[in-house]
Amino acid sequence: MRNLSLFSEFAEFCSHRSTAVLFVSIVSFAVLLPLFPQQKSSSFLIVNAQLADGTGAPLRKANVRIVLNHIAEIGDLQPQKDESVVDAKGLVLAPGFIDIHNHSTDGLLTDPLAETQIAQGITTVVQGPDGDSPWPLIAWIRTIQQLHTAPNVAVFAGHATIREQVMHSDYKRVATPQEIQQMEQLVGQAMNQQALGLSSGLEYEIGGYSNTAELIAMCKVAAAHHGIYMTHIRDEADKSFEALHEEIEIGESAHIPVEHSHIKLGTVGVQGKAAAYIQVIENARKRGVDFMADCYPYDAWHSNLKVLVPDKQYENSQTVRKALDDVGGASRITITEFKPNPSYSGHTLANLARAAHVSDVDMFIRLIREGDAAQTEASIICQSMIESDIKAFYQQPWVMVASDGGIGASHPRGAGTFPRVLGLYVREKHWLTLPEAIRKMTFLPAQRLNWKDRGTLRVGSFADIVLFNPDTVIDNATYTNPTALPTGIEKVWVNGILVWDNGKPTSARPGEFLGTNGTPIQILN
Ligand SMILES: [Zn+2]
C-alpha cells in the first residue's frame, strides 16, 4: 500500500502539468532567468577588507562591488554616487561558508531564519545527509521555497529513505533484485528533482542492512545524473578500515565522486591510526577515485545509542561491555535526549548507572529497552576521538569543514563549527593558514558539488559573502549550551542581501533552493 501511495504521490505531482512543465523549463533556463530577489537589492561597495577569496591564495587587499545578487567588480574601486559603502578595515572578506553536511531538514520548517547557521557565516546548508532525506523531495523543496529561508538550501536523496519507500518495515535484510531495481528508479526520480546525489548512513538502522552491491547499483544511477555519493560509512570504530575499503569500492565500481562524511577514528582500537587511514585514501586517489572528506572540529561525536554496538546485539552483555570499552568507558557517553525519560539528559551513562545501582552494561540495556518500548532511541554525545587524528585529517588538502550539525543541534558543532576552526585551529593552534581554512569552507565544498558560481570571491559569482574579524572570531557553543552564538562574524550576505549584521539577524530571508549546479531553482505552483 505504501508503494502505491508513493507512486500516486508522484503521479499527483505529474498531474499538475503546469507545475511539471514550469519546473522543467525553469530548470533548463535557470541561469537566464531573473533570480527572484525577495528584497530590494542595490549596488554597494565593501572597502578596506583583506580578501580570502576561497582558492587558498594569500590574503590581499581589494574592494568588492556587489550588484543585485552577484559580485560585479573586485579591485581598486571608488564608490559611485549614492552607492552605500561598507568599511571593512581590519576584517577579512570571504565567500559564504557552504555546509555540505547539515541537519536542518525539519529545523528550517520552524526556523527559516536559521540564526545559529547564518551567525557562523554559513550561507548554504546542504540537507539530506546520512541516508536520511525528505521525501518526496519535490514537496519538501516547494515548502522550503514558500517559507523563504535565510541561507540557501540544497539537498541529497537519502539511501535509507529510498530503501524504506521500497521495503517498508521489512528492511532488516538484503534487498531482492526487484527491490533494488525499484530503488534505482527512485534515485533517478530524486536526481531529476535536483538532488545533489545519494547519501548513505550505513551505521544506522535501515541503511545498515544493505549490502555493497545495492549501494553500487544505486550509485550508478546517481553517477549517470552527475551526482555524488556522500556517505556515513558502515563503521567508524574497530572496523573503520573495512568500512573505508567498502566506500572506495563503491566509488570505484560506480564511477562516482565520493564525499566521506565526518571522517573520524572513533574508538580506542583505531585511535592514532590517521596516517594509515589517510594512506588508504591517498592510494585510492592515485588510482583515480575522486575521494574527498569532511570533518567537524570536535573530539566527541553525537548520534544514537545503538551505533555504539555495530553488530546490533544490543542486549548481549559481552557485546555491550566491549562497545563501552571501545570508546573508553561509560563516562565518555553523555545522554543528550531521551524522550521516555527526559531527566536522563545531561548525564553520563556511568552516572546514570551509579544512581540506579546497576552496572554500566545493565544501564545501557535498560536504555535500549525503554527506548524500544517507546519506539525511540537515546541521543548521545560520545567523546572518543583524539586531537592528533583530527589535526592529521584537517591538514589533508581534500578534507573540508562541515558541521554535521544544524538548527537546534544538541552538539555544539551545530552553532560553533566554522568560527571554531577559524579561532581555534587557525589562530590559536596554527594547524591551518587562514586562506587554507577558508578554502575548506568554501571552494572545496563547491568543487565537490561541481558548483562553479559559489565558493569563491570572483566577478560573476553569487554574492554569498561573510565578513569576520580574524582576531576575535571564535565559537561559544558548548556541550551544556550548544546553541550559543559565536563571536567575530560581523556581516553575512546571501545572494547580495545582508542577513547577519553585527551580532544580530537582519530578518531578511533571501536564501534560494539550489539545484544540482548551485544556481537557484524555482518551482512555482
Ligand atoms: Zn553521520
Side-chain angles (χ1 to χ4, degrees):
M1 286 307 284
R2 296 262 315 267
N3 217 357
L4 266 179
S5 78
L6 170 73
F7 286 114
S8 64
E9 265 168 324
F10 185 56
E12 189 199 26
F13 158 59
C14 291
S15 74
H16 292 299
R17 262 180 53 208
S18 58
T19 308
V21 168
L22 197 51
F23 178 70
V24 170
S25 65
I26 285 176
V27 169
S28 317
F29 297 106
V31 181
L32 303 177
L33 283 177
L35 295 161
F36 307 97
Q38 282 134 17
Q39 279 81 26
K40 187 170 77 70
S41 307
S42 56
S43 155
F44 64 95
L45 187 67
I46 303 170
V47 299
N48 296 324
Q50 295 284 336
L51 267 54
D53 67 9
T55 65
L59 295 179
R60 69 189 158 105
K61 211 172 158 195
N63 296 347
V64 176
R65 173 166 288 122
I66 312 298
V67 177
L68 295 172
N69 58 359
H70 279 81
I71 296 173
E73 284 181 278
I74 300 175
D76 185 13
L77 309 169
Q78 298 304 314
Q80 294 168 350
K81 191 170 173 288
D82 297 333
E83 188 174 49
S84 63
V85 173
V86 176
D87 186 357
K89 194 167 174 7
L91 304 178
V92 171
L93 189 71
F97 306 147
I98 298 171
D99 189 5
I100 202 171
H101 191 119
N102 186 287
H103 291 276
S104 301
T105 303
D106 295 330
L108 284 167
L109 303 180
T110 51
D111 180 15
L113 196 57
E115 188 171 343
T116 52
Q117 309 303 292
I118 57 174
Q120 295 180 64
I122 298 172
T123 53
T124 298
V125 290
V126 177
Q127 302 304 309
D130 293 329
D132 183 21
S133 69
W135 199 266
L137 281 185
I138 198 81
W140 181 80
I141 295 168
R142 193 181 285 123
T143 305
I144 287 294
Q145 291 190 323
Q146 285 166 347
L147 275 171
H148 300 297
T149 54
N152 299 310
V153 181
V155 71
F156 275 83
H159 162 249
T161 300
I162 289 176
R163 198 165 202 269
E164 196 179 22
Q165 291 295 327
V166 172
M167 299 175 78
H168 315 303
S169 57
D170 182 23
Y171 58 74
K172 293 189 177 179
R173 59 180 173 82
V174 171
T176 66
Q178 289 88 336
E179 285 166 337
I180 292 176
Q181 218 170 37
Q182 279 178 284
M183 292 181 209
E184 289 171 21
Q185 279 170 9
L186 295 185
V187 175
Q189 177 190 317
M191 295 304 297
N192 285 330
Q193 294 177 8
Q194 300 298 308
L196 303 174
L198 187 71
S199 83
S200 72
L202 304 183
E203 217 171 5
Y204 295 114
E205 248 320 84
I206 299 169
Y209 294 95
S210 63
N211 60 14
T212 310
E214 173 184 322
L215 290 155
I216 292 172
M218 292 169 78
C219 279
K220 279 184 176 169
V221 179
H225 288 79
H226 309 290
I228 73 166
Y229 176 52
M230 184 167 82
T231 178
H232 173 149
I233 60 173
R234 215 176 279 276
D235 193 295
E236 296 178 325
D238 286 1
K239 292 186 180 140
S240 288
F241 283 81
E242 288 95 316
L244 176 62
H245 284 295
E246 181 193 32
E247 173 185 26
I248 291 168
E249 183 190 345
I250 293 166
E252 213 155 17
S253 304
H255 302 289
I256 190 167
V258 175
E259 174 71 10
H260 181 116
S261 295
H262 40 63
I263 190 167
K264 68 168 80 83
L265 292 164
T267 51
V268 174
V270 288
Q271 281 172 1
K273 295 188 177 170
Y277 206 66
I278 289 165
Q279 193 56 54
V280 173
I281 296 168
E282 286 293 359
N283 292 344
R285 284 169 58 88
K286 282 194 196 107
R287 290 200 308 274
V289 181
D290 184 359
F291 191 108
M292 292 189 196
D294 51 77
C295 189
Y296 56 75
Y298 295 85
D299 64 2
W301 49 259
H302 178 229
S303 190
N304 300 324
L305 191 64
K306 284 181 176 175
V307 303
L308 285 168
V309 186
D311 68 2
K312 301 185 169 51
Q313 303 294 306
Y314 309 116
E315 300 192 19
N316 176 328
S317 326
Q318 270 182 323
T319 312
V320 172
R321 179 75 266 154
K322 180 173 182 329
L324 299 183
D325 290 345
D326 278 349
V327 296
S331 62
R332 301 293 188 99
I333 300 161
T334 303
I335 314 300
T336 59
E337 193 188 2
F338 188 55
K339 291 210 178 80
N341 199 334
S343 69
Y344 290 172
S345 299
H347 295 282
T348 65
L349 184 65
N351 282 343
L352 292 175
R354 212 172 300 134
H357 306 291
V358 297
S359 71
D360 296 343
V361 169
D362 287 345
M363 192 65 216
F364 179 97
I365 294 171
R366 185 186 290 188
L367 278 167
I368 291 290
R369 287 183 182 155
E370 287 179 21
D372 282 351
Q375 293 188 312
T376 184
E377 235 185 288
S379 295
I380 60 167
I381 281 167
C382 180
Q383 191 192 357
S384 68
M385 284 89 84
I386 58 172
E387 191 172 87
S388 59
D389 287 336
I390 299 171
K391 179 181 177 183
F393 290 138
Y394 263 119
Q395 290 186 334
Q396 302 312 308
W398 39 265
V399 171
M400 65 195 78
V401 179
S403 75
D404 192 15
I407 297 168
S410 50
H411 187 294
R413 67 190 181 215
T417 288
F418 291 82
R420 182 176 173 84
V421 169
L422 295 171
L424 188 63
Y425 293 173
V426 174
R427 188 178 61 239
E428 290 178 25
K429 293 181 186 282
H430 304 290
W431 290 2
L432 301 166
T433 65
L434 183 60
E436 176 61 5
I438 294 296
R439 190 183 74 91
K440 290 174 177 295
M441 301 173 177
T442 58
F443 175 75
L444 202 54
Q447 187 188 16
R448 173 70 313 173
L449 296 168
N450 209 14
W451 290 358
K452 307 275 187 259
D453 297 325
R454 294 186 198 269
T456 44
L457 295 180
R458 62 165 181 77
V459 172
S461 275
F462 285 99
D464 293 345
I465 39 183
V466 54
L467 195 56
F468 66 92
N469 186 331
D471 300 327
T472 62
V473 64
I474 196 71
D475 60 308
N476 295 312
T478 61
Y479 291 97
T480 46
N481 188 7
T483 55
L485 301 178
T487 304
I489 304 291
E490 302 291 330
K491 291 180 193 292
V492 181
W493 290 265
V494 173
N495 298 309
I497 305 287
L498 189 65
V499 296
W500 183 258
D501 190 13
N502 195 21
K504 284 195 287 292
T506 64
S507 82
R509 306 202 308 248
E512 302 274 6
F513 180 80
L514 306 183
T516 42
N517 62 359
T519 54
I521 298 299
Q522 197 78 4
I523 303 169
L524 302 180
N525 288 300

